Each structure stands twice: as structure tokens, then as C-alpha cells.
Amino acid sequence: MPYLSIQDAKKLLENKNIQALIIPSKNHQKIKGDKKAVDRFRIIIPTQTPLNLLDSKTFREFQALISKQLGLNSFVDTKALSDRARIL
């Protein structure tokens, strides 16, 4: 799987003039099974409209559009998009 470091994510967001919060996940820099220790994190981008008003399907579609627009599709954990516990 392709890898995106926190530093690379920060540069990408700065180059697109997007202010966001980058938060390491609880598995940040931990070995997971056969996967090496790498940066694992979430990118939180503020919006003008509260997204908690969206149903989960629309929210997932919104996430997919944002990741595509930012060029992050190959780095997104697709399990996070399909797991209802991780939505909102």
C-alpha cells in the first residue's frame, strides 16, 4: 500500500492552501501484523456546514470526493469508509 507521511500530508495541504488538523491515530508508528511502523493519522478539514447532519452514505460520498480532490485516494484506509463505527 502506498505510504503518506505526516510531513507529506502537511505539505500537500499547505500547497493547496487548506487549513486542517492532522491527528495521529492510536496505531501511529506501531507495527501491525506484517505491516511496518508508519505514520497513521487522520486529516480533519473544517467545513462551513456541520457534517453530522448528513446520513452516513452521503458522508462517505463526501469523504470520497474530498480525498479524490486532494489526490489522497491511494492513501485512504477504505475500511474506515465502510465501518459505521468510524463515521462521524
Side-chain angles (χ1 to χ4, degrees):
M1 174 178 253
Y3 167 72
L4 181 70
S5 70
I6 287 178
Q7 287 300 324
D8 290 341
K10 183 179 175 202
K11 287 178 192 173
L12 175 109
L13 294 166
E14 286 173 351
N15 289 340
K16 295 189 178 279
N17 200 26
I18 295 174
Q19 294 194 4
L21 184 62
I22 298 175
I23 301 176
S25 76
K26 69 177 185 172
N27 291 311
H28 177 69
Q29 287 296 329
K30 288 185 182 177
I31 297 172
K32 287 184 75 178
D34 61 346
K35 297 177 184 172
K36 64 182 182 173
V38 296
D39 291 346
R40 293 183 177 90
F41 56 94
R42 292 170 178 83
I43 299 173
I44 300 173
I45 301 171
T47 61
Q48 291 181 357
T49 303
L51 299 179
N52 63 342
L53 302 177
L54 301 176
D55 61 85
S56 61
K57 180 180 183 261
T58 305
F59 183 75
R60 283 192 298 273
E61 289 171 357
F62 177 78
Q63 284 183 309
L65 288 171
I66 294 295
S67 64
K68 181 179 179 181
Q69 187 65 30
L70 293 175
L72 297 173
N73 274 351
S74 59
F75 305 110
V76 172
D77 178 2
T78 55
K79 292 177 190 172
L81 296 177
S82 61
D83 184 354
R84 289 186 59 86
R86 297 183 191 192
I87 303 294
L88 304 176

